[in-house]
Amino acid sequence: SISDPVIRLAAGDYKLTILGNGDTVSGYAFRLFDLASAAAVTPGQLVAGTLSPANMTEAYQFQIESPGEYYFDSRSVSGLANAHWRLISPSGGITFSASATSDVGPVALGPGTHTIMVEGYQGDTGSGTYSFNIQPVASGVGALVLGDVNSGTLATAGARRAYTFSLVAPATLYLDSLTNAGSILWSLDGPSGS
């Protein structure tokens, strides 16, 4: 994968030249495509595809009307050991680039058309499949009463729930986790930081 293969061009005439490095004699193949031709996807719906050959790139676009946070949930990758996915912002900048097997987020996104690209590695051969979901992050804030049991459900990947409380005097508190789930992360932020 090239560090930034997105080329922003003004209207006009161009010439793309292929040149061997030194005395290199080699075959080549490439595809130059307009990101505006990317397939439209809807956040919250599973996207599945195939890279054939495994070193090609597929592009998808989704529209965001108002700012929000999104979790990029890699559901499956097969036959694409070195593939990456990359998010391109409406202005053409790279928001993230990560292994296609990695989840990313939550990521704060502004309004506009965002492009997600699943990129095969240049040296990969054969073909492979992938699936992912761009999940809007559900988050909420509620008041916490010390001593009460609080429960809920993190219903989507990347979801989080925050509880706020105030102390009028110094106190020593104990977090009694009533959840047997090693995949739940806890953090506490306050006047002295995290």
mmCIF file of all heavy atoms in Angstrom, residues 155-180:
data_model
loop_
_atom_site.group_PDB
_atom_site.id
_atom_site.type_symbol
_atom_site.label_atom_id
_atom_site.label_comp_id
_atom_site.label_asym_id
_atom_site.label_seq_id
_atom_site.Cartn_x
_atom_site.Cartn_y
_atom_site.Cartn_z
ATOM 1 N N ALA A 155 -25.050 -2.069 23.401
ATOM 2 C CA ALA A 155 -25.723 -2.835 22.357
ATOM 3 C C ALA A 155 -24.993 -2.863 21.019
ATOM 4 O O ALA A 155 -25.283 -3.723 20.193
ATOM 5 C CB ALA A 155 -27.139 -2.295 22.156
ATOM 6 N N THR A 156 -24.086 -1.930 20.780
ATOM 7 C CA THR A 156 -23.347 -1.923 19.525
ATOM 8 C C THR A 156 -21.860 -1.814 19.813
ATOM 9 O O THR A 156 -21.456 -1.324 20.866
ATOM 10 C CB THR A 156 -23.765 -0.741 18.622
ATOM 11 O OG1 THR A 156 -23.479 0.483 19.296
ATOM 12 C CG2 THR A 156 -25.238 -0.798 18.257
ATOM 13 N N ALA A 157 -21.062 -2.264 18.878
ATOM 14 C CA ALA A 157 -19.609 -2.141 19.022
ATOM 15 C C ALA A 157 -19.245 -0.670 19.184
ATOM 16 O O ALA A 157 -19.802 0.193 18.503
ATOM 17 C CB ALA A 157 -18.905 -2.723 17.802
ATOM 18 N N GLY A 158 -18.353 -0.386 20.095
ATOM 19 C CA GLY A 158 -17.930 0.984 20.334
ATOM 20 C C GLY A 158 -18.832 1.787 21.248
ATOM 21 O O GLY A 158 -18.530 2.923 21.595
ATOM 22 N N ALA A 159 -19.948 1.191 21.636
ATOM 23 C CA ALA A 159 -20.887 1.911 22.510
ATOM 24 C C ALA A 159 -20.256 2.156 23.873
ATOM 25 O O ALA A 159 -19.392 1.405 24.316
ATOM 26 C CB ALA A 159 -22.178 1.110 22.671
ATOM 27 N N ARG A 160 -20.681 3.208 24.518
ATOM 28 C CA ARG A 160 -20.194 3.496 25.869
ATOM 29 C C ARG A 160 -21.277 4.244 26.628
ATOM 30 O O ARG A 160 -22.128 4.907 26.053
ATOM 31 C CB ARG A 160 -18.886 4.269 25.820
ATOM 32 C CG ARG A 160 -18.992 5.586 25.119
ATOM 33 C CD ARG A 160 -17.637 6.239 25.017
ATOM 34 N NE ARG A 160 -17.683 7.204 23.951
ATOM 35 C CZ ARG A 160 -16.634 7.691 23.365
ATOM 36 N NH1 ARG A 160 -15.448 7.308 23.735
ATOM 37 N NH2 ARG A 160 -16.750 8.569 22.420
ATOM 38 N N ARG A 161 -21.195 4.124 27.900
ATOM 39 C CA ARG A 161 -22.140 4.778 28.800
ATOM 40 C C ARG A 161 -21.327 5.445 29.895
ATOM 41 O O ARG A 161 -20.406 4.840 30.446
ATOM 42 C CB ARG A 161 -23.100 3.749 29.388
ATOM 43 C CG ARG A 161 -24.058 4.248 30.399
ATOM 44 C CD ARG A 161 -25.176 5.022 29.780
ATOM 45 N NE ARG A 161 -26.081 5.468 30.849
ATOM 46 C CZ ARG A 161 -27.115 6.209 30.647
ATOM 47 N NH1 ARG A 161 -27.427 6.591 29.445
ATOM 48 N NH2 ARG A 161 -27.869 6.583 31.645
ATOM 49 N N ALA A 162 -21.627 6.674 30.215
ATOM 50 C CA ALA A 162 -20.918 7.402 31.265
ATOM 51 C C ALA A 162 -21.899 7.733 32.383
ATOM 52 O O ALA A 162 -23.094 7.936 32.145
ATOM 53 C CB ALA A 162 -20.316 8.687 30.705
ATOM 54 N N TYR A 163 -21.391 7.759 33.587
ATOM 55 C CA TYR A 163 -22.178 8.136 34.761
ATOM 56 C C TYR A 163 -21.420 9.243 35.477
ATOM 57 O O TYR A 163 -20.206 9.180 35.623
ATOM 58 C CB TYR A 163 -22.366 6.936 35.698
ATOM 59 C CG TYR A 163 -23.209 5.836 35.106
ATOM 60 C CD1 TYR A 163 -22.640 4.814 34.367
ATOM 61 C CD2 TYR A 163 -24.587 5.844 35.279
ATOM 62 C CE1 TYR A 163 -23.418 3.812 33.815
ATOM 63 C CE2 TYR A 163 -25.370 4.836 34.730
ATOM 64 C CZ TYR A 163 -24.784 3.830 34.000
ATOM 65 O OH TYR A 163 -25.562 2.839 33.457
ATOM 66 N N THR A 164 -22.133 10.244 35.912
ATOM 67 C CA THR A 164 -21.495 11.363 36.611
ATOM 68 C C THR A 164 -21.929 11.382 38.074
ATOM 69 O O THR A 164 -23.041 10.967 38.415
ATOM 70 C CB THR A 164 -21.875 12.708 35.959
ATOM 71 O OG1 THR A 164 -23.290 12.877 36.002
ATOM 72 C CG2 THR A 164 -21.414 12.758 34.507
ATOM 73 N N PHE A 165 -21.007 11.844 38.926
ATOM 74 C CA PHE A 165 -21.324 12.022 40.342
ATOM 75 C C PHE A 165 -20.400 13.101 40.888
ATOM 76 O O PHE A 165 -19.363 13.411 40.303
ATOM 77 C CB PHE A 165 -21.186 10.709 41.129
ATOM 78 C CG PHE A 165 -19.799 10.135 41.130
ATOM 79 C CD1 PHE A 165 -18.916 10.399 42.176
ATOM 80 C CD2 PHE A 165 -19.366 9.312 40.097
ATOM 81 C CE1 PHE A 165 -17.644 9.866 42.190
ATOM 82 C CE2 PHE A 165 -18.086 8.769 40.109
ATOM 83 C CZ PHE A 165 -17.222 9.043 41.159
ATOM 84 N N SER A 166 -20.778 13.677 42.006
ATOM 85 C CA SER A 166 -19.974 14.711 42.662
ATOM 86 C C SER A 166 -19.701 14.301 44.097
ATOM 87 O O SER A 166 -20.540 13.675 44.751
ATOM 88 C CB SER A 166 -20.721 16.048 42.658
ATOM 89 O OG SER A 166 -20.904 16.499 41.343
ATOM 90 N N LEU A 167 -18.539 14.678 44.589
ATOM 91 C CA LEU A 167 -18.173 14.469 45.984
ATOM 92 C C LEU A 167 -17.972 15.846 46.620
ATOM 93 O O LEU A 167 -17.255 16.673 46.071
ATOM 94 C CB LEU A 167 -16.880 13.658 46.096
ATOM 95 C CG LEU A 167 -16.903 12.237 45.533
ATOM 96 C CD1 LEU A 167 -15.500 11.630 45.591
ATOM 97 C CD2 LEU A 167 -17.894 11.374 46.294
ATOM 98 N N VAL A 168 -18.598 16.076 47.754
ATOM 99 C CA VAL A 168 -18.440 17.363 48.436
ATOM 100 C C VAL A 168 -17.244 17.343 49.381
ATOM 101 O O VAL A 168 -16.804 18.386 49.860
ATOM 102 C CB VAL A 168 -19.725 17.781 49.185
ATOM 103 C CG1 VAL A 168 -20.850 18.029 48.183
ATOM 104 C CG2 VAL A 168 -20.126 16.735 50.202
ATOM 105 N N ALA A 169 -16.710 16.133 49.628
ATOM 106 C CA ALA A 169 -15.542 15.977 50.499
ATOM 107 C C ALA A 169 -14.734 14.797 49.981
ATOM 108 O O ALA A 169 -15.258 13.933 49.271
ATOM 109 C CB ALA A 169 -15.984 15.733 51.951
ATOM 110 N N PRO A 170 -13.444 14.707 50.320
ATOM 111 C CA PRO A 170 -12.650 13.544 49.908
ATOM 112 C C PRO A 170 -13.317 12.247 50.390
ATOM 113 O O PRO A 170 -13.940 12.217 51.454
ATOM 114 C CB PRO A 170 -11.306 13.761 50.600
ATOM 115 C CG PRO A 170 -11.223 15.232 50.847
ATOM 116 C CD PRO A 170 -12.652 15.667 51.105
ATOM 117 N N ALA A 171 -13.188 11.186 49.562
ATOM 118 C CA ALA A 171 -13.792 9.902 49.919
ATOM 119 C C ALA A 171 -12.955 8.781 49.329
ATOM 120 O O ALA A 171 -12.248 8.968 48.338
ATOM 121 C CB ALA A 171 -15.228 9.823 49.406
ATOM 122 N N THR A 172 -13.028 7.621 49.930
ATOM 123 C CA THR A 172 -12.395 6.420 49.402
ATOM 124 C C THR A 172 -13.518 5.523 48.900
ATOM 125 O O THR A 172 -14.351 5.073 49.689
ATOM 126 C CB THR A 172 -11.577 5.698 50.493
ATOM 127 O OG1 THR A 172 -10.590 6.614 50.997
ATOM 128 C CG2 THR A 172 -10.887 4.467 49.929
ATOM 129 N N LEU A 173 -13.549 5.305 47.583
ATOM 130 C CA LEU A 173 -14.632 4.542 46.968
ATOM 131 C C LEU A 173 -14.112 3.187 46.484
ATOM 132 O O LEU A 173 -12.919 3.023 46.247
ATOM 133 C CB LEU A 173 -15.223 5.321 45.791
ATOM 134 C CG LEU A 173 -15.725 6.737 46.080
ATOM 135 C CD1 LEU A 173 -16.285 7.361 44.819
ATOM 136 C CD2 LEU A 173 -16.749 6.739 47.194
ATOM 137 N N TYR A 174 -15.020 2.257 46.308
ATOM 138 C CA TYR A 174 -14.693 0.933 45.805
ATOM 139 C C TYR A 174 -15.595 0.655 44.612
ATOM 140 O O TYR A 174 -16.821 0.801 44.705
ATOM 141 C CB TYR A 174 -14.917 -0.128 46.897
ATOM 142 C CG TYR A 174 -14.654 -1.544 46.424
ATOM 143 C CD1 TYR A 174 -13.350 -2.037 46.369
ATOM 144 C CD2 TYR A 174 -15.691 -2.369 46.030
ATOM 145 C CE1 TYR A 174 -13.099 -3.330 45.937
ATOM 146 C CE2 TYR A 174 -15.450 -3.667 45.601
ATOM 147 C CZ TYR A 174 -14.155 -4.144 45.548
ATOM 148 O OH TYR A 174 -13.900 -5.425 45.111
ATOM 149 N N LEU A 175 -15.002 0.268 43.462
ATOM 150 C CA LEU A 175 -15.776 -0.096 42.274
ATOM 151 C C LEU A 175 -16.037 -1.596 42.337
ATOM 152 O O LEU A 175 -15.132 -2.408 42.159
ATOM 153 C CB LEU A 175 -15.015 0.264 40.992
ATOM 154 C CG LEU A 175 -15.692 -0.161 39.690
ATOM 155 C CD1 LEU A 175 -17.044 0.530 39.526
ATOM 156 C CD2 LEU A 175 -14.795 0.135 38.510
ATOM 157 N N ASP A 176 -17.255 -1.965 42.609
ATOM 158 C CA ASP A 176 -17.661 -3.366 42.740
ATOM 159 C C ASP A 176 -18.225 -3.818 41.400
ATOM 160 O O ASP A 176 -19.401 -3.629 41.105
ATOM 161 C CB ASP A 176 -18.719 -3.471 43.856
ATOM 162 C CG ASP A 176 -19.089 -4.915 44.167
ATOM 163 O OD1 ASP A 176 -18.436 -5.833 43.642
ATOM 164 O OD2 ASP A 176 -20.036 -5.100 44.952
ATOM 165 N N SER A 177 -17.363 -4.393 40.553
ATOM 166 C CA SER A 177 -17.798 -4.843 39.232
ATOM 167 C C SER A 177 -18.674 -6.073 39.384
ATOM 168 O O SER A 177 -18.232 -7.113 39.845
ATOM 169 C CB SER A 177 -16.594 -5.177 38.356
ATOM 170 O OG SER A 177 -17.032 -5.761 37.154
ATOM 171 N N LEU A 178 -19.900 -5.958 39.002
ATOM 172 C CA LEU A 178 -20.845 -7.073 39.051
ATOM 173 C C LEU A 178 -20.958 -7.733 37.679
ATOM 174 O O LEU A 178 -21.907 -8.459 37.416
ATOM 175 C CB LEU A 178 -22.213 -6.572 39.534
ATOM 176 C CG LEU A 178 -22.188 -5.851 40.892
ATOM 177 C CD1 LEU A 178 -23.559 -5.266 41.196
ATOM 178 C CD2 LEU A 178 -21.734 -6.781 41.994
ATOM 179 N N THR A 179 -19.986 -7.442 36.812
ATOM 180 C CA THR A 179 -19.977 -7.949 35.442
ATOM 181 C C THR A 179 -18.806 -8.880 35.254
ATOM 182 O O THR A 179 -17.667 -8.513 35.533
ATOM 183 C CB THR A 179 -19.857 -6.769 34.444
ATOM 184 O OG1 THR A 179 -20.935 -5.872 34.663
ATOM 185 C CG2 THR A 179 -19.874 -7.247 33.009
ATOM 186 N N ASN A 180 -19.068 -10.082 34.760
ATOM 187 C CA ASN A 180 -18.016 -11.047 34.474
ATOM 188 C C ASN A 180 -17.727 -11.002 32.972
ATOM 189 O O ASN A 180 -18.100 -11.890 32.226
ATOM 190 C CB ASN A 180 -18.435 -12.450 34.900
ATOM 191 C CG ASN A 180 -17.316 -13.459 34.685
ATOM 192 O OD1 ASN A 180 -16.168 -13.081 34.533
ATOM 193 N ND2 ASN A 180 -17.665 -14.735 34.663
#
